[in-house]
């Protein structure tokens, strides 16, 4: 089992933290007492929350032990806990902000999850979620296409390898039913990450989506072959700039909704 590799994940720490900052910038609360970061990973999103609201009690939860250990090492002053976000979280109490950056796409049943997470809010609280929109990310689609290659196919059958995401309107509809304040912000941003060649995109995915594919394959030889075929696919959909960089378009959806006072 290939668990998350926090060091490889943090190789792109700047790019991966940017959406957290953008999401935080749209939360209007000045003095939240308690904040929950769901799928906190190695703590970079949680640390941004701490920087914005240094006096708040912040809890970060994640179901990867390697990620939680790294978060505890990097930010010992924050309370990180190994927990599955799809389970009952009511024992954690109520929060003024329920935050989740780039994690819900790893979970299924988004309507139920969002309802459950919204129920953790105090009155006047805010829920804020960001997730990638995989349909519009060519590097993600290139990965999905490799599922159909004959020699890999049997190893991927029955496995849940893809991100889970719905269209933006789905999240609006779920939140507009919930948000008693009727105060919803929803937007998309396509980041253009400047990557060091095609290998840069390969490394980006090796620490996230691709790890589940590599994990399913039977040997290192297969894994190397898979990565080489992925590089070929990337070369078909992206082009090198004159300085050797590749502009990696990455579309993300953001939703922020409030509960009335
Ligand atoms: C791409 S990382 C995002 C980490 C961090 N929020 C950030 O902004 O960099 C996704 C995280 O979601 C976590 N995750 C996935 N499924 C989860 C679940 N069911 N419960 C808790 N965490 C989960 C993964 O372990 C991983 O650390």
């Amino acid at each position: 089992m290939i668990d998350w590799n926090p060091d490889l994940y943090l190789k792109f720490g700047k790019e991966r933290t940017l959406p957290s900052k953008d999401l935080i910038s749209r939360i209007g609360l000045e003095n939240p007492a308690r904040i929950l970061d769901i799928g906190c990973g190695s703590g970079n999103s949680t640390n941004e929350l701490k920087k914005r609201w240094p006096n708040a009690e912040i809890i970060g939860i994640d179901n990867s032990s390697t990620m939680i250990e790294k978060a505890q090492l990097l930010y010992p002053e924050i309370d990180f806990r190994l927990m599955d976000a799809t389970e009952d979280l009511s024992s954690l109490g109520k929060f003024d902000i329920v935050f989740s950056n780039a994690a819900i796409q790893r979970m299924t049943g988004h309507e139920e999850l969002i309802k459950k997470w919204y129920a953790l809010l105090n009155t006047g609280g805010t829920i804020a979620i960001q997730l990638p929109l995989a349909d519009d990310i060519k590097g993600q689609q290139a990965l999905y296409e490799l599922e159909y290659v004959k020699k890999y196919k049997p190893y991927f059958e029955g496995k849940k390898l893809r991100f889970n995401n719905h269209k933006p309107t789905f999240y609006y509809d779920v939140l507009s039913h919930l948000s008693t304040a009727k105060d919803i912000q929803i937007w998309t941003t396509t980041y253009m990450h400047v990557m060091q060649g095609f290998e840069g995109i390969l490394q980006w995915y090796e620490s996230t989506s691709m790890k589940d594919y590599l994990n399913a394959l039977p040997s290192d030889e297969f894994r190397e072959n898979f990565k080489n075929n992925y590089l070929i696919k990337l070369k078909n959909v992206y082009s090198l700039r004159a300085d050797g960089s590749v502009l990696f378009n990455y579309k993300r959806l953001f939703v922020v909704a409030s509960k009335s006072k």
Side-chain angles (χ1 to χ4, degrees):
M1 162 80 185
I2 304 176
D3 198 354
W4 287 83
N5 179 336
D7 295 324
L8 197 51
Y9 181 74
L10 289 172
K11 184 170 162 43
F12 301 100
K14 190 168 65 103
E15 290 80 1
R16 297 197 196 280
T17 308
L18 205 50
S20 286
K21 292 182 179 173
D22 292 346
L23 189 56
I24 287 170
S25 76
R26 301 281 282 265
I27 302 173
L29 299 179
E30 279 310 316
N31 289 304
R34 300 191 78 229
I35 303 175
L36 178 64
D37 185 10
I38 296 178
C40 62
S42 48
N44 38 319
S45 47
T46 333
N47 187 46
E48 290 305 316
L49 292 163
K50 187 77 187 162
K51 283 200 269 184
R52 170 66 184 85
W53 294 288
N55 298 322
E57 178 199 347
I58 304 182
I59 300 176
I61 63 164
D62 201 284
N63 70 347
S64 156
S65 52
T66 57
M67 284 299 217
I68 285 292
E69 279 162 22
K70 187 71 177 183
Q72 285 166 337
L73 194 73
L74 291 175
Y75 310 107
E77 71 287 4
I78 302 179
D79 180 356
F80 291 106
R81 304 186 192 180
L82 186 63
M83 278 183 93
D84 193 315
T86 62
E87 288 175 4
D88 180 12
L89 303 178
S90 58
S91 65
L92 294 172
K94 296 274 187 184
F95 295 88
D96 302 298
I97 298 174
V98 172
F99 184 91
S100 185
N101 184 63
I104 198 171
Q105 75 279 2
R106 301 258 160 206
M107 306 170 212
T108 53
H110 286 189
E111 182 170 359
E112 289 316 307
L113 274 179
I114 292 172
K115 280 183 183 163
K116 217 157 60 168
W117 296 354
Y118 184 87
L120 297 171
L121 286 178
N122 283 319
T123 53
T126 296
I127 185 167
I129 298 172
Q130 182 277 121
L131 71 158
L133 290 179
D135 294 352
D136 294 308
I137 304 171
K138 286 182 193 161
Q140 195 84 29
Q141 294 304 314
L143 193 55
Y144 295 168
E145 281 166 23
L146 286 178
E147 288 171 18
Y148 303 105
V149 173
K150 208 169 158 193
K151 66 178 162 207
Y152 309 139
K153 213 170 163 213
Y155 301 105
F156 296 151
E157 257 156 22
K159 302 229 159 53
K160 281 212 59 63
L161 298 165
R162 296 187 178 198
F163 280 173
N164 301 293
N165 71 268
H166 301 274
K167 301 242 175 284
T169 44
F170 169 92
Y171 298 95
Y172 180 82
D173 290 344
V174 171
L175 284 164
S176 66
H177 273 97
L178 292 172
S179 173
T180 45
K182 296 289 170 219
D183 173 18
I184 299 168
Q185 303 175 65
I186 179 162
W187 73 99
T188 60
T189 298
T190 301
Y191 296 90
M192 291 182 85
H193 298 309
V194 179
M195 307 301 275
Q196 295 308 300
F198 301 107
E199 286 74 12
I201 303 180
L202 172 68
Q203 286 177 356
W204 172 285
Y205 278 114
E206 266 186 281
S207 63
T208 54
S209 303
M210 193 186 284
K211 72 182 182 54
D212 299 326
Y213 289 82
L214 298 177
N215 190 26
L217 292 171
S219 66
D220 285 345
E221 199 183 331
F222 258 93
R223 286 186 268 277
E224 279 314 304
N225 182 274
F226 185 88
K227 287 194 242 175
N228 287 334
N229 276 328
Y230 184 62
L231 276 175
I232 293 169
K233 288 233 164 248
L234 290 180
K235 288 174 188 169
N236 289 332
V237 291
Y238 295 101
S239 53
L240 275 184
R241 309 318 315 151
D243 68 352
S245 305
V246 174
L247 298 182
F248 178 33
N249 291 7
Y250 205 96
K251 188 171 181 181
R252 297 179 183 269
L253 173 69
F254 299 76
V255 284
V256 178
S258 303
K259 200 172 195 170
S260 55
K261 292 197 171 115

